[in-house]
Amino acid sequence: MIFKRLFPFLFLIAGCFTAHPVFCQPIENHFTHYTTTDGLPDGYVSSIKQDSAGFLWLATLNGLCRFDGHTFKTFRNDPRDTTSLCENHLNSIYFDEQNNLWCVSFNCLYLYHPDGEWFEHFYMDGYNVERIDGEENGQLILSCTIKGLWKFDRKSKKLLKFEHPGLDPIKCYMYLKDNAGTQWMSTDKGLFRYDPGTKKSLFVFHNEGVLLQLPDGNILCGAFGEGLLLINRETNAIKQFRAMENDRGSLVDDLIFCLYQLDDSTILIGTKKGVSVFNWRKQTFTNIVHDRTDPASLSAYDISVKSIFKDREGIVWIGHRNLDRYDFGNFRVKTYPARGKEKVAGQFAGKLSFFPCADGRFLLGTGRGMKIYDPVKDTVNKIGAKEFNPGAKDVFKLIDCIQSDTCGNNWCFSSPNFYSFRVKNNTAENIHEYHFPFDLNLGGMTFDKNGRIYIATWGNGLLRFDPADSAYTFFDTTGRSPARLTNMKIRAVCLARDGSIWLGTQKGINKIEKDGKTVMQFSQDKKRYGVITDWILMDVKEDSHGKIWFSTTSHGIGRIDPANDSITFLSIPQGLPTCFYENICVDDYDCLWVKSKMGILRINTITLQYQLYTDNEGFPPPGEVIDMRYAGYNRKLYLLTSGAIYEIDPRHINYAPKIPKTLITGFSVLEKDRPLTGEGTMHLNYNENFINIKFAALLFHSNEMIRYAYKMKGIDHDWVYCNYKRNAPYTNLPPGHYVFSVKAESPEGVWADAPATLLIIIRPPFWQTWWFYLAEFITGSAFVLWVLRLYTTRKLARQKIEIERSLAVSNERTRIASDMHDELGAGLTSIRLLSEVANLKAGKDSAAKSEIEKIVRSVGGLSENLREIIWTMNIRYDKLDDFIIYVRGYAVEYFDNTLISFQFNRPDVVPQVSMDGELRRNIFLCIKEALHNIVKHSGATGASLTFEVVENMLITTIADNGTGIDKNKINKFGNGLNTMKNRLKKYCSDLEIEGNNGTKLTFKINIVPW
């Protein structure tokens, strides 16, 4: 648990000689504690270092720990991971010239690889490595308590013996090479020095210890159990400092574990019982030990401070069983009583208000009268109530709201009276009492240039009191008052330079104009002013530019520009740490100082830049400030607490904000930590899409006031402002590439320009990869080809069967046609010849001759029909060209015995189209019927037959110039036309008939090319 409380009463500072003008920082017994509850590993912190990124690294007895200011991440031995630490007990940490992290346990040297967060091992079994004492020529110096002093070459990664002629220690506790090149070794045989030039070793002291070279070249040795040794490196003269019982100016304990140079004159000494602050120039000690009455003091008594370190921000870290942090802060803050003096518990407890006088003293208003505090003499003088109220015997009145008017008179309120007085020689003089016939619950008061007092009351409105004639006037909600207010509960009053009066009420702001009658309420019109009526205002002040500032209990800080009555608000959405604010002070440097439960907030009234001050900067801890005042006579801010009065000089405050460097500190998948890679990329599987990204700004000072914003490109459309939250969870991320960015806002409200980024690649499942798509495409294509091939094969097989069947039918047709031609044709020819012979022999017997002629004609008709059937069945005539030739021959022959002229038209190019016998026969019979009708019924003198082939369509047109078809007589040859239509329907065709100026028949048949 982190305890954060300031007890500014122990002043531990090592002074400086006049001949050495150096800056020596004060060290107070005020620390922030980190324990196992905060995540610190159990066991002593033996070494502390900081890397280039800003992380703090701790070597402990239970692993290596990385601290980002909020979270401890510990690396320990994992039997299942060969790249983890071999041992959890670590003795030392060292960063080499390339900023590589090295650490040692008793039997192994480790090199940490941040890319993947793993350790490379260099085993040293039986060496008992105590510490890494620096680097020389690329070689690490290792002090071992069994085999002496060794070197480790970082390039060759080999262990080399550190040779010293005439000196071969079995145990070496520490090695130091001073600025002159002399080597100092703390061994089991004592303290030695070795001169490489003369190659001679010299015995210095009989005991081992830790070593440190001072700025003047001399050596400081913390001897184990024998105190502190100051060694003159020229003469080897030793001055020994020992712990003296009941002597606070001596070393706190003789058992010393570590030495750390804090500045040019101050050395911090870690001992078994605490920390000694040693000013080596003055040779004085100031001790920091555990204080049972102060939870913010150094941790428990027997703490054995093993390590001390000062980071780049100036924060001092002290390692023992816990980790303690001392933050110097950035500001020079004085306290009264002065730091370092014996504290008086609750010296200012019960004080309700205070007022800084021009002579440097403070008036304190209490529940038992008035007190005067002299910070120079550190004395408090009481002024009895009888002096203020002579008629009261042994009755002490509550003194509140101390102010000073323009004439130098002090005023205070003790209900129901007001008192004016002057302070001289710690006593009150010229006391005047002004009595009111009723009790007032005072909120605040101010003075105008005429000496009149404006008093804000809680429940009675505004009271204006003129001490010259003791007349008072009330401003309230009734119609009898000069200006009618909208609320009677007033907590603050401000008299502006233009003569207007501003009142902070329970429900918004009232402004009494210069005429003293007109009242404007800044709470009713939400659209215009943006103020809602339930706001409770705590204080109202005017800045040097005429702007009105007010504080509220739940909606932050507001600013009103009287020029146009516009309101601007500052609260949590604008970056402020809280929305609850109380007192406001305006300094002479365009800044507001506002009291809150989180600390003292400073706002620049021009730039609106802000900074929150807490005990980290030397201010009182949040919540301990009772009252706050700004003294115009010396331009300083004063804070009253129960234990001290704090004095802050705004001129010494550095306004330059510290821009925090933001780093991604952790990455977890499905609530399991995943090591970060050095190239800033995380590769995840498709089912590892529930992630949590941790980040921190490596700014240990006021890090609890740092805000964050993050964005995942591809998921978030804009920055996600998460305030003080330091992790970003994402769930169910689809496969793809994402860029995570995070940035931090400094406590002063300045955002970092360059965010930290992390590339996250979520690999898709194998069935969503390109090679799977390619394989799927190839497989699908192969399957389609296989199906097509199977279909084609089967189709070809069916076609083959059809062709074979058709060929068999064709052959059969050819055979039948041949047989019919040979047998039936021959038989009919024979019958015809015999009939003709018989006709000749019949002579003039007309009856017999007539019958024989009929037989001849019948046989001729049968022969003609038989020839058509044979032509139809013969596959040699299945071509369109053969069909057209056959029809032409028939038509020409048919019209030769008539008086009708015939014209035949055919296409110039006849496509190679096959027509089966049935199609040829049906088309031929339709043409034959049409020609027959022309000869028999049309009375035409001319006829034509035309064949056209258009887009696989055979168009047949038969025309004559006869009488045409009369619809009234169409039944005469209707059977023939109907027969033609029925034949054509088989081929999805129709017969088109035109009867104007003759007759024209057209029909279209779809033909398929080969």
Side-chain angles (χ1 to χ4, degrees):
M1 178 179 180
I2 302 176
F3 301 94
K4 300 183 66 176
R5 184 181 176 190
L6 179 62
F7 285 79
F9 309 107
L10 185 59
F11 181 65
L12 304 174
I13 180 172
C16 306
F17 285 119
T18 305
H20 301 276
V22 295
F23 172 67
C24 183
Q25 304 188 62
I27 304 295
E28 303 173 21
N29 198 2
H30 166 236
F31 295 91
T32 300
H33 306 305
Y34 299 92
T35 68
T36 55
T37 306
D38 304 302
L40 182 70
D42 189 19
Y44 282 100
V45 179
S46 56
S47 182
I48 307 173
K49 292 291 187 292
Q50 188 175 28
D51 63 17
S52 59
F55 286 109
L56 210 64
W57 292 85
L58 316 174
T60 74
L61 302 187
N62 197 17
L64 178 66
C65 191
R66 187 185 72 188
F67 185 49
D68 60 15
H70 301 277
T71 305
F72 293 92
K73 181 172 183 177
T74 304
F75 301 89
R76 294 188 178 94
N77 171 255
D78 185 353
R80 299 167 297 179
D81 185 2
T82 58
T83 63
S84 66
L85 296 173
C86 297
E87 300 172 289
N88 291 332
H89 188 147
L90 299 180
N91 298 324
S92 181
I93 298 174
Y94 180 74
F95 283 96
D96 63 22
E97 296 173 353
Q98 282 74 40
N99 200 42
N100 297 313
L101 172 61
W102 299 81
C103 57
V104 291
S105 61
F106 284 119
N107 299 301
C108 192
L109 172 67
Y110 307 94
L111 172 60
Y112 172 72
H113 293 269
D115 184 8
E117 299 181 344
W118 61 282
F119 294 88
E120 187 176 357
H121 303 159
F122 305 96
Y123 294 98
M124 301 180 65
D125 293 337
Y127 283 74
N128 252 31
V129 185
E130 182 70 20
R131 56 190 297 135
I132 304 174
D133 285 321
E135 179 180 7
E136 295 180 7
N137 302 321
Q139 296 176 339
L140 302 180
I141 309 300
L142 306 177
S143 296
C144 307
T145 58
I146 290 183
K147 294 189 177 182
L149 197 61
W150 292 78
K151 296 184 292 186
F152 180 82
D153 191 283
R154 292 193 290 108
K155 293 183 179 179
S156 64
K157 297 182 179 180
K158 292 182 178 180
L159 197 63
L160 307 173
K161 180 65 177 175
F162 203 127
E163 299 292 344
H164 290 87
L167 180 62
D168 187 15
I170 298 176
K171 297 181 180 180
C172 184
Y173 296 98
M174 186 172 180
Y175 168 86
L176 173 67
K177 185 176 182 179
D178 63 24
N179 296 334
T182 303
Q183 299 172 358
W184 299 76
M185 286 164 286
S186 174
T187 74
D188 59 321
K189 299 179 182 179
L191 178 62
F192 291 84
R193 58 181 292 178
Y194 173 75
D195 189 346
T198 61
K199 295 183 179 181
K200 292 182 179 181
S201 298
L202 180 65
F203 175 80
V204 178
F205 192 71
H206 64 271
N207 203 355
E208 71 274 7
V210 290
L211 303 170
L212 176 70
Q213 185 174 21
L214 296 175
D216 64 355
N218 293 326
I219 303 298
L220 204 61
C221 176
F224 296 161
E226 298 198 32
L228 185 67
L229 307 178
L230 180 58
I231 306 171
N232 188 308
R233 68 172 306 276
E234 300 294 336
T235 65
N236 281 340
I238 298 176
K239 184 174 183 178
Q240 189 174 15
F241 301 90
R242 302 294 299 266
M244 306 297 291
E245 189 175 357
N246 298 325
D247 184 358
R248 296 183 179 182
S250 67
L251 190 66
V252 66
D253 192 79
D254 286 339
L255 185 55
I256 298 175
F257 297 104
C258 62
L259 301 173
Y260 189 85
Q261 181 176 337
L262 184 63
D263 54 42
D264 191 59
S265 61
T266 308
I267 306 297
L268 301 183
I269 305 170
T271 74
K272 184 179 180 180
K273 295 182 180 180
V275 177
S276 286
V277 181
F278 177 56
N279 188 310
W280 65 272
R281 298 188 185 277
K282 286 188 174 182
Q283 298 185 6
T284 58
F285 291 91
T286 311
N287 297 324
I288 302 176
V289 297
H290 175 66
D291 184 352
R292 294 180 181 179
T293 66
D294 186 357
S297 66
L298 200 63
S299 296
Y301 177 67
D302 188 8
I303 61 172
S304 296
V305 175
K306 300 284 187 177
S307 55
I308 301 174
F309 180 76
K310 180 181 176 182
D311 66 20
R312 288 193 288 272
E313 297 179 50
I315 298 174
V316 176
W317 302 84
I318 297 178
H320 43 91
R321 285 195 177 276
N322 299 332
L323 179 66
D324 287 355
R325 184 188 80 175
Y326 176 77
D327 194 344
F328 284 101
N330 298 327
F331 311 103
R332 298 174 183 265
V333 179
K334 291 183 179 180
T335 63
Y336 304 105
R339 305 172 197 242
K341 292 189 177 182
E342 293 294 333
K343 65 181 181 181
V344 179
Q347 176 160 311
F348 299 107
K351 307 303 182 290
L352 301 176
S353 64
F354 79 120
F355 182 78
C357 300
D359 59 3
R361 291 174 297 177
F362 297 92
L363 297 179
L364 304 175
T366 74
R368 292 180 176 271
M370 180 79 68
K371 295 183 179 181
I372 299 177
Y373 173 67
D374 188 340
V376 177
K377 299 178 180 180
D378 192 20
T379 58
V380 177
N381 295 300
K382 298 181 180 180
I383 301 178
K386 291 181 180 180
E387 296 184 52
F388 287 94
N389 191 357
K393 295 183 178 180
D394 300 326
V395 176
F396 293 91
K397 292 291 186 177
L398 182 146
I399 301 297
D400 193 10
C401 197
I402 308 172
Q403 292 282 9
S404 176
D405 61 20
T406 56
C407 299
N409 298 313
N410 297 311
W411 290 79
C412 68
F413 174 71
S414 179
S415 181
N417 302 324
F418 269 93
Y419 298 92
S420 68
F421 59 95
R422 291 177 178 268
V423 178
K424 183 177 181 181
N425 299 325
N426 293 334
T427 59
E429 298 179 349
N430 299 328
I431 300 174
H432 297 279
E433 180 182 47
Y434 301 91
H435 179 72
F436 293 95
F438 42 79
D439 289 337
L440 296 177
N441 191 351
L442 195 67
M445 64 181 179
T446 187
F447 300 86
D448 65 12
K449 59 184 178 180
N450 297 320
R452 293 181 297 182
I453 308 173
Y454 290 83
I455 304 168
T457 70
W458 188 255
N460 296 102
L462 177 67
L463 172 64
R464 183 177 64 194
F465 176 67
D466 192 344
D469 55 5
S470 298
Y472 54 85
T473 305
F474 274 100
F475 296 80
D476 53 24
T477 57
T478 66
R480 297 187 301 271
S481 64
R484 187 170 183 175
L485 305 181
T486 61
N487 194 272
M488 296 277 284
K489 295 182 178 180
I490 305 174
R491 192 177 294 272
V493 57
C494 174
L495 185 62
R497 293 181 180 84
D498 63 358
S500 60
I501 303 172
W502 296 81
L503 308 176
T505 75
Q506 186 184 23
K507 294 185 177 181
I509 298 179
N510 280 188
K511 176 187 178 184
I512 303 177
E513 299 288 358
K514 292 182 292 185
D515 58 9
K517 299 179 180 181
T518 306
V519 177
M520 178 180 291
Q521 167 72 1
F522 285 78
S523 63
Q524 301 298 332
D525 190 348
K526 297 181 182 179
K527 293 183 179 179
R528 180 180 180 187
Y529 301 114
V531 182
I532 56 179
T533 57
D534 61 347
W535 281 19
I536 300 176
L537 273 72
M538 301 298 292
D539 201 358
V540 181
K541 289 292 189 298
E542 182 187 29
D543 65 18
S544 59
H545 302 281
K547 304 294 191 302
I548 303 299
W549 294 81
F550 59 91
S551 59
T552 72
T553 59
S554 58
H555 294 82
I557 300 171
R559 182 185 66 180
I560 299 176
D561 187 350
N564 52 18
D565 292 335
S566 62
I567 297 182
T568 304
F569 291 99
L570 301 175
S571 189
I572 293 177
Q574 288 74 37
L576 296 191
T578 182
C579 59
F580 185 99
Y581 296 95
E582 300 177 73
N583 306 48
I584 299 177
C585 290
V586 182
D587 65 18
D588 296 318
Y589 308 101
D590 294 323
C591 285
L592 298 182
W593 297 84
V594 190
K595 174 187 171 186
S596 76
K597 291 186 176 181
M598 297 187 69
I600 304 299
L601 186 73
R602 175 189 54 80
I603 302 177
N604 188 295
T605 59
I606 299 175
T607 65
L608 300 184
Q609 201 174 54
Y610 69 90
Q611 167 75 49
L612 185 70
Y613 302 125
T614 65
D615 48 339
N616 288 331
E617 290 79 26
F619 280 58
E624 291 192 6
V625 178
I626 300 173
D627 196 6
M628 179 173 68
R629 295 295 181 94
Y630 180 76
Y633 72 91
N634 62 358
R635 298 183 178 183
K636 292 182 180 179
L637 182 72
Y638 292 92
L639 309 176
L640 174 66
T641 70
S642 62
I645 296 175
Y646 289 73
E647 180 185 87
I648 296 98
D649 189 347
R651 293 172 295 180
H652 291 167
I653 292 183
N654 179 16
Y655 292 99
K658 293 183 178 179
I659 309 300
K661 180 180 180 181
T662 310
L663 291 179
I664 296 173
T665 59
F667 193 95
S668 61
V669 179
L670 300 174
E671 298 183 354
K672 294 183 178 179
D673 290 338
R674 185 71 60 87
L676 296 169
T677 59
E679 66 270 14
T681 304
M682 291 297 296
H683 295 270
L684 305 175
N685 294 323
Y686 72 95
N687 56 352
E688 297 177 328
N689 55 357
F690 286 74
I691 64 175
N692 187 24
I693 306 172
K694 300 175 184 177
F695 43 82
L698 297 184
L699 186 68
F700 296 106
H701 176 73
S702 299
N703 55 7
E704 69 277 1
M705 298 307 303
I706 296 175
R707 299 172 185 265
Y708 299 91
Y710 62 85
K711 179 173 64 174
M712 180 78 81
K713 186 177 181 181
I715 299 295
D716 302 320
H717 299 292
D718 201 354
W719 288 97
V720 178
Y721 292 89
C722 56
N723 285 333
Y724 308 108
K725 183 180 176 183
R726 292 177 290 104
N727 69 296
Y730 288 91
T731 60
N732 201 24
L733 291 175
H737 289 59
Y738 304 94
V739 177
F740 177 80
S741 303
V742 59
K743 61 182 180 179
E745 182 192 39
S746 71
E748 296 83 6
V750 180
W751 286 96
D753 295 330
T757 59
L758 177 66
L759 174 62
I760 302 173
I761 301 175
I762 301 180
R763 291 183 289 264
F766 71 90
W767 58 85
Q768 293 182 2
T769 56
W770 67 267
W771 58 265
F772 184 84
Y773 289 145
L774 180 60
E776 189 177 38
F777 173 76
I778 294 174
T779 303
S781 300
F783 177 75
V784 171
L785 292 175
W786 177 78
V787 171
L788 291 176
R789 186 174 182 278
L790 180 62
Y791 172 77
T792 304
T793 302
R794 292 184 177 181
K795 183 179 180 181
L796 291 176
R798 288 195 301 268
Q799 290 179 348
K800 181 179 180 183
I801 294 173
E802 292 293 333
I803 291 173
E804 290 177 350
R805 184 181 299 166
S806 177
L807 183 60
V809 172
S810 299
N811 293 335
E812 184 64 19
R813 287 169 55 192
T814 303
R815 185 188 65 77
I816 294 174
S818 179
D819 292 345
M820 291 176 64
H821 180 273
D822 294 340
E823 296 181 6
L824 293 178
L828 290 174
T829 302
S830 177
I831 293 172
R832 183 175 182 178
L833 291 176
L834 291 176
S835 298
E836 290 178 353
V837 172
N839 187 30
L840 292 174
K841 289 181 177 184
K844 296 182 179 179
D845 188 353
S846 59
K849 188 173 182 178
S850 176
E851 295 297 329
I852 292 172
E853 288 179 353
K854 290 181 179 179
I855 293 172
V856 172
R857 286 196 296 273
S858 298
V859 171
L862 288 174
S863 298
E864 183 65 26
N865 292 335
L866 180 61
R867 187 173 65 178
E868 291 177 4
I869 292 172
I870 293 172
W871 171 75
T872 301
M873 296 181 63
N874 197 333
I875 63 174
R876 290 181 299 175
Y877 305 111
D878 283 351
K879 296 180 181 179
L880 176 61
D881 190 44
D882 294 331
F883 171 75
I884 293 174
I885 292 173
Y886 181 83
V887 172
R888 178 181 179 281
Y890 171 81
V892 171
E893 182 180 356
Y894 185 78
F895 281 104
D896 279 347
N897 298 324
T898 66
L899 298 176
I900 300 173
S901 63
F902 176 72
Q903 182 179 358
F904 181 83
N905 301 308
R906 57 168 292 171
D908 296 333
V909 178
V910 179
Q912 297 294 318
V913 177
S914 176
M915 301 175 65
D916 59 44
E918 184 179 3
L919 176 61
R920 286 187 285 117
R921 177 174 172 77
N922 286 321
I923 297 176
F924 175 74
L925 291 177
C926 290
I927 294 173
K928 184 177 180 180
E929 178 67 23
L931 296 180
H932 175 73
N933 290 335
I934 291 174
V935 174
K936 186 176 180 180
H937 303 289
S938 68
T941 59
S944 64
L945 173 62
T946 303
F947 286 108
E948 294 178 282
V949 179
V950 179
E951 295 181 355
N952 298 330
M953 190 72 68
L954 177 62
I955 303 175
T956 304
T957 304
I958 304 168
D960 64 64
N961 59 358
T963 58
I965 296 179
D966 189 354
K967 294 182 179 180
N968 297 326
K969 298 179 180 180
I970 195 169
N971 291 332
K972 186 190 301 184
F973 38 58
N975 291 334
L977 294 176
N978 290 333
T979 302
M980 293 172 63
K981 291 180 179 179
N982 292 333
R983 292 182 185 277
L984 293 174
K985 283 182 180 180
K986 297 180 181 180
Y987 307 101
C988 300
S989 182
D990 194 12
L991 181 64
E992 299 177 6
I993 302 174
E994 298 181 14
N996 297 326
N997 299 323
T999 303
K1000 182 179 180 181
L1001 304 179
T1002 303
F1003 53 87
K1004 302 176 182 179
I1005 302 295
N1006 188 26
I1007 56 177
V1008 181
W1010 287 350

